[in-house]
């Protein structure tokens, strides 16, 4: 009878409250974001295409050696041509974004999902002992109910976070926490934050939003925003942008919408984003593979944007390593955390972006030199990361016996690493089976911390070898209680503590041990974990992590991050209803339901690179190499 009563409570109470027979969106979206003027415009124009013009809002010009400073925005000139995919606005896919938002996404919370619970539709069926399901069946049913309700809620919240620019969906804001008045820049569209949102919409077949995001962020590239009169390099993508409504020039009674980008000049710490352009290239490739629309990546302005990002990243400098030299706080870990130099996360994204860009670059004479430099960098980067960043029990024992102060081309300890750098925690933590890529490598310094995004994306992009990729997943399984525990997934392990925390973070009160970027748990990492596990044909690891997350995410109101070593507490300064926590969960669910869809993000290892890499490893660095079998030439 206990089981029977439990089922009846599910059927009679829970299901009508949690499920809807319609799509997952509340009608409050269009009402909350739509002013009277916006309704008037939307009523006679369903789909609006925007041509972007650059308009200086103010200028400051000084003589001498001080650079000219101009603050610019992207303006919208609204027209009524065809929609993004060539269909007229009256019948195109984008029409529902404006006028039909209320009707299309209206949720009827009083309608039970009859189809999924047909077997429990009457009390007569469940009171019979012969038809009574066993406890395992009841438990599975309850878990399914909870998981489905969480997913429905996530879709509703994700759609409510959509930002519109001149009537078109253009991105999702970072967080929409109604209980917080301190929004900072969480009401903006961040490029890195939008990636899981964009992937979720792509997997749902809703391509227009992602297309708009790609093209509008491209228009914001390389603007002359400055920090103390110093301009960023040409090709830099903004960290975020915001849609602002400003008075129309010469007419105070009218307004217009502009896109106001932030390249780091307003960010905490004033650090320009290195990863924005890399993520943009990765999303561009995913859009083409998922939608089949290659016309976007073939556009001249898009091809130019790709080349500008590549030239910025491949520019010559004083650095002699093939890895990308960056400042602290220039990626997802956007505060001082000791990741300056050559952090793994940036190298994995850099490698992935190079592979994606090479696939999308149009073959032409002007890009031949760029492709050659790209190939050379790919080979050198993959060799460097696989050889010098990898650590397992064998490599750890090798470092433990390093000799220092070696001067020769054939030195074993090439970076003069002192064995005393091996921390006591690592000696006890390293499993016999498994390994990972360390967080950073510089002369006389190895950052032995495990950084999740870098390791997971090294698997996805094939920067790590097949054996190394499986070893990383082996380590995740072996150290489940440290990296997953009560909420996936630790951004890094272990946390900086004591005097080390004071020196490296500058006593950052937000990055206290096991909080925020200093060992906090970030649910958005679920989607990267899922892609990596699917690529290595081990989806059960990701499924287990998603099951852990489902127990708390909705109940905790979708926090930005979790605190404590086991991730038991909601982050002390975490925003609730964080969009990329929501989207990361949804992408993980979608990919586990259809693992073949992960191919839009996965890059397979290039056979030419593998052959060239094997030659590089087997050859003596001082000996001149003979002709290679491959037609391509590489420089290590």
């Amino acid at each position: 009878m206990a089981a029977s009563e439990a089922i009846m409570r599910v059927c009679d109470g829970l299901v009508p409250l949690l499920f809807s027979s319609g799509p997952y969106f509340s009608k409050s979206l269009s009402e909350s974001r739509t002013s009277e003027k916006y309704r008037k415009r939307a009523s006679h124009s369903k789909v609006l295409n925007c041509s972007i013009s650059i308009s200086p809002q103010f200028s400051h010009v000084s003589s001498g050696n001080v650079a000219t400073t101009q603050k610019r925005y992207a303006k919208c000139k609204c027209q009524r041509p065809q929609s993004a995919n060539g269909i007229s606005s009256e019948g195109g896919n984008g029409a529902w974004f404006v006028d039909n938002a209320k009707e299309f996404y209206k949720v009827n919370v009083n309608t039970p999902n009859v189809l999924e619970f047909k077997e429990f539709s009457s009390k007569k069926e469940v009171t019979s002992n012969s038809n009574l399901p066993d406890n395992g069946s009841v438990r599975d049913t309850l878990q399914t109910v909870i998981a489905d309700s969480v997913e429905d809620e996530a879709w509703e919240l994700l759609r409510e976070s959509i930002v519109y620019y001149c009537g078109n969906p253009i991105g999702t804001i970072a967080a929409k926490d109604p209980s917080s008045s301190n929004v900072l820049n969480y009401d903006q569209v961040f490029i890195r934050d939008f990636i899981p949102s964009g992937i979720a919409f792509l997997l749902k077949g809703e391509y227009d939003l992602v297309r708009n995001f790609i093209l509008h962020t491209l228009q914001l590239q390389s603007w002359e925003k400055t920090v103390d009169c110093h301009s960023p390099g040409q090709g830099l993508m903004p960290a975020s942008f915001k849609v602002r409504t400003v008075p129309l020039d010469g007419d105070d009674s009218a307004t217009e919408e502009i896109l106001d980008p932030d390249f780091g000049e307003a960010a905490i710490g004033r650090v320009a984003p290195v990863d924005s352009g890399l993520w943009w290239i990765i999303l561009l490739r995913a859009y083409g593979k998922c939608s089949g629309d290659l016309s976007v990546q073939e556009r001249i302005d898009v091809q130019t944007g790709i080349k500008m990002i590549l030239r910025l990243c491949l520019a010559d400098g004083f650095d002699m390593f093939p890895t990308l030299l960056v400042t602290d706080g220039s990626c997802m870990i956007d505060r001082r955390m000791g990741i300056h130099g050559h952090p793994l996360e940036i190298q994995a994204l850099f490698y992935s972006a190079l592979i994606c860009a090479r696939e999308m670059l149009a073959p032409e004479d002007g890009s031949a030199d760029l492709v050659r430099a790209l190939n050379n960098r790919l080979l050198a980067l993959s060799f460097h990361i696989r050889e010098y960043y990898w650590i397992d029990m064998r490599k750890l024992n090798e470092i433990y016996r390093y000799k220092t102060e070696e001067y020769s081309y054939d030195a074993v300890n090439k970076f003069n690493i002192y064995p005393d750098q091996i921390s006591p925690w690592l000696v006890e933590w390293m499993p016999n089976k498994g390994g990972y890529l360390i967080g950073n490598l510089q002369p006389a310094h190895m950052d032995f911390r495990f950084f999740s995004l870098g390791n997971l994306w090294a698997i996805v992009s094939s920067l790590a070898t097949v054996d190394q990729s499986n070893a990383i997943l082996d380590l995740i399984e072996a150290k489940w209680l440290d990296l997953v525990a009560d909420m996936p997934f630790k951004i890094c392990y272990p946390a900086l503590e004591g005097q080390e925390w004071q020196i490296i973070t500058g006593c950052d009160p937000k990055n206290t041990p096991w909080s925020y970027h200093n060992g906090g748990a970030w649910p958005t990492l679920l989607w990267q974990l899922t892609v990596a596990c699917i690529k290595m044909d081990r989806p059960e690891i990701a499924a287990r992590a998603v099951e852990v997350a489902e127990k708390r995410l909705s109940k905790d109101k979708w926090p930005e991050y979790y605190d404590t070593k086991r991730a038991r507490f909601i982050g002390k300064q975490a925003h609730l209803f964080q969009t990329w926590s929501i989207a990361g969960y949804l992408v993980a669910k979608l990919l586990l339901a259809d693992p073949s869809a992960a191919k839009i993000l996965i890059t397979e290892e290039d056979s030419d690179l593998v052959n060239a890499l094997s030659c590089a490893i087997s050859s003596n660095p001082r000996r001149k190499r003979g002709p290679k079998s491959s037609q391509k030439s590489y420089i290590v």
Side-chain angles (χ1 to χ4, degrees):
M1 289 302 294
S4 175
E5 292 173 1
I7 297 171
M8 291 311 304
R9 283 196 294 271
V10 172
C11 299
D12 295 342
L14 181 62
V15 177
L17 291 174
L18 295 179
F19 285 87
S20 164
S21 59
Y24 319 129
F25 197 28
S26 73
K27 64 180 180 180
S28 62
L29 167 62
S30 57
E31 294 176 351
S32 63
R33 72 159 192 273
T34 309
S35 63
E36 188 60 33
K37 178 185 174 184
Y38 184 86
R39 288 197 187 96
K40 185 180 296 184
R41 181 175 9 167
S43 65
H44 63 265
S45 181
K46 292 184 178 180
V47 178
L48 302 175
N49 285 353
C50 303
S51 61
I52 308 300
S53 64
I54 298 176
S55 174
Q57 299 300 310
F58 63 83
S59 301
H60 174 73
V61 181
S62 55
S63 59
N65 296 326
V66 180
T68 301
T69 302
Q70 287 185 330
K71 187 170 184 178
R72 300 182 176 182
Y73 301 93
K75 279 188 179 179
C76 164
K77 294 182 179 179
C78 301
Q79 301 173 353
R80 294 188 60 195
Q82 292 181 336
S83 67
N85 50 12
I87 305 173
S88 65
S89 61
E90 282 72 15
N93 293 335
W96 55 268
F97 277 121
V98 181
D99 286 349
N100 297 336
K102 280 188 190 176
E103 291 77 8
F104 189 80
Y105 290 119
K106 190 175 294 182
V107 175
N108 180 5
V109 297
N110 295 319
T111 304
N113 193 325
V114 180
L115 293 178
E116 293 189 13
F117 294 92
K118 184 177 181 180
E119 54 186 315
F120 303 132
S121 60
S122 69
K123 293 183 180 181
K124 182 178 179 180
E125 292 181 18
V126 297
T127 55
S128 171
N129 290 333
S130 60
N131 294 330
L132 185 65
D134 57 26
N135 290 337
S137 177
V138 174
R139 190 184 308 112
D140 292 343
T141 301
L142 290 173
Q143 289 176 350
T144 302
V145 170
I146 294 172
D148 289 348
S149 65
V150 172
E151 194 170 349
D152 295 349
E153 179 192 358
W155 274 114
E156 181 179 339
L157 292 171
L158 181 60
R159 296 191 189 282
E160 286 179 352
S161 71
I162 294 176
V163 173
Y164 290 78
Y165 175 56
C166 201
N168 286 323
I170 193 176
T172 54
I173 59 174
K176 192 175 183 180
D177 183 0
S179 64
S180 175
S181 59
N182 185 23
V183 296
L184 295 175
N185 55 355
Y186 281 70
D187 61 344
Q188 299 188 23
V189 180
F190 281 80
I191 288 186
R192 75 171 69 96
D193 289 39
F194 178 76
I195 302 303
S197 297
I199 299 300
F201 286 116
L202 287 178
L203 296 176
K204 272 289 188 178
E206 300 173 15
Y207 307 133
D208 284 356
L209 188 154
V210 181
R211 185 183 192 275
N212 293 340
F213 173 85
I214 289 171
L215 295 179
H216 280 88
T217 50
L218 178 65
Q219 298 292 333
L220 301 176
Q221 185 185 32
S222 301
W223 288 47
E224 296 178 10
K225 295 269 189 146
T226 67
V227 177
D228 294 338
C229 302
H230 180 72
S231 300
Q234 188 181 37
L236 183 72
M237 283 288 191
S240 63
F241 63 86
K242 185 171 184 176
V243 179
R244 298 187 186 276
T245 302
V246 299
L248 192 65
D249 293 341
D251 186 358
D252 295 337
S253 62
T255 60
E256 63 178 344
E257 290 181 338
I258 63 169
L259 295 181
D260 185 11
D262 176 17
F263 290 86
E265 73 278 3
I268 297 173
R270 302 301 190 267
V271 180
V274 176
D275 59 347
S276 292
L278 306 179
W279 277 124
W280 183 85
I281 290 176
I282 293 169
L283 182 65
L284 174 63
R285 174 182 178 267
Y287 169 82
K289 281 192 165 293
C290 192
S291 68
D293 177 18
L294 302 182
S295 64
V296 174
Q297 66 189 47
E298 292 170 353
R299 289 173 47 144
I300 295 178
D301 56 344
V302 174
Q303 287 286 313
T304 302
I306 296 173
K307 293 175 183 177
M308 289 172 66
I309 295 172
L310 292 178
R311 291 192 178 101
L312 179 64
C313 294
L314 296 172
D316 293 332
F318 288 102
D319 190 32
M320 294 294 289
F321 295 157
T323 42
L324 195 59
L325 180 65
V326 299
T327 56
D328 218 345
S330 59
C331 52
M332 177 183 176
I333 299 178
D334 58 3
R335 289 199 174 212
R336 182 176 170 187
M337 269 285 289
I339 61 168
H340 58 279
H342 309 88
L344 176 65
E345 175 181 328
I346 291 298
Q347 313 317 319
L349 292 174
F350 181 36
Y351 183 87
S352 181
L354 291 179
I355 290 285
C356 294
R358 186 178 65 175
E359 183 179 318
M360 295 185 294
L361 278 175
E364 57 184 17
D365 295 338
S367 61
D369 292 340
L370 186 60
V371 172
R372 188 179 302 110
L374 187 154
N375 282 326
N376 289 336
R377 193 62 169 267
L378 280 172
L379 174 61
L381 181 61
S382 59
F383 173 82
H384 187 84
I385 297 295
R386 294 175 179 185
E387 185 72 10
Y388 303 126
Y389 276 63
W390 180 254
I391 189 166
D392 53 17
M393 187 58 77
R394 182 197 62 80
K395 186 63 178 290
L396 189 60
N397 195 49
E398 179 183 316
I399 296 172
Y400 181 73
R401 295 172 54 83
Y402 265 171
K403 296 179 181 179
T404 58
E405 314 302 331
E406 292 182 294
Y407 176 80
S408 71
Y409 289 100
D410 302 324
V412 175
N413 187 0
K414 290 181 170 58
F415 303 99
N416 201 35
I417 304 299
Y418 296 100
D420 289 343
Q421 288 186 24
I422 300 177
S423 302
W425 71 264
L426 180 59
V427 176
E428 301 298 328
W429 195 71
M430 178 65 71
N432 290 325
K433 181 184 179 182
Y436 65 97
L437 297 167
I438 63 172
N440 211 330
L441 174 65
Q442 300 181 72
H445 173 68
M446 296 183 78
D447 186 345
F448 290 107
R449 285 176 292 175
F450 176 89
F451 286 88
S452 299
L453 178 54
N455 275 277
L456 294 174
W457 211 256
I459 298 175
V460 175
S461 64
S462 295
L463 175 57
T465 66
V466 174
D467 290 341
Q468 289 174 345
S469 298
N470 276 311
I472 293 171
L473 296 183
D474 288 338
L475 179 131
I476 290 174
E477 286 191 303
K479 297 300 175 182
W480 189 264
L481 291 180
D482 292 328
L483 300 176
V484 177
D486 291 349
M487 177 58 65
F489 198 83
K490 276 280 183 291
I491 192 170
C492 66
Y493 185 91
L496 299 171
E497 299 183 282
Q499 189 177 31
E500 187 180 27
W501 166 77
Q502 294 176 342
I503 295 172
I504 292 180
T505 72
C507 299
D508 186 351
K510 195 170 184 178
N511 266 334
T512 52
W514 308 109
S515 177
Y516 198 51
H517 294 316
N518 189 18
W522 292 71
T524 187
L525 293 171
L526 273 174
W527 76 274
Q528 287 103 332
L529 173 65
T530 303
V531 179
C533 291
I534 289 175
K535 183 182 184 235
M536 303 313 299
D537 198 22
R538 299 170 69 174
E540 68 281 356
I541 299 175
R544 182 183 171 193
V546 170
E547 186 178 348
V548 172
E550 279 177 335
K551 296 177 181 178
R552 296 183 57 192
L553 276 177
S554 176
K555 184 169 59 177
D556 294 341
K557 300 181 180 178
W558 306 93
E560 181 183 12
Y561 62 93
Y562 284 79
D563 284 355
T564 74
K565 193 170 183 178
R566 288 185 55 90
R568 299 184 65 188
F569 294 168
I570 297 173
K572 57 187 175 184
Q573 296 187 43
H575 280 71
L576 302 181
F577 301 104
Q578 186 78 14
T579 303
W580 71 348
S581 295
I582 297 166
Y585 164 76
L586 286 174
V587 172
K589 293 286 288 187
L590 289 167
L591 292 178
L592 288 173
D594 181 15
S596 64
K599 67 179 182 295
I600 68 173
L601 296 163
I602 293 170
T603 53
E604 299 296 340
E605 195 166 36
D606 187 286
S607 58
D608 290 332
L609 281 178
V610 172
N611 294 334
L613 190 59
S614 62
C615 294
I617 294 175
S618 61
S619 62
N620 188 311
R622 297 195 68 183
R623 186 190 310 153
K624 291 184 178 180
R625 300 189 182 97
K628 295 182 177 65
S629 58
S630 174
Q631 295 181 355
K632 298 179 181 179
S633 61
Y634 300 95
I635 300 174
V636 181

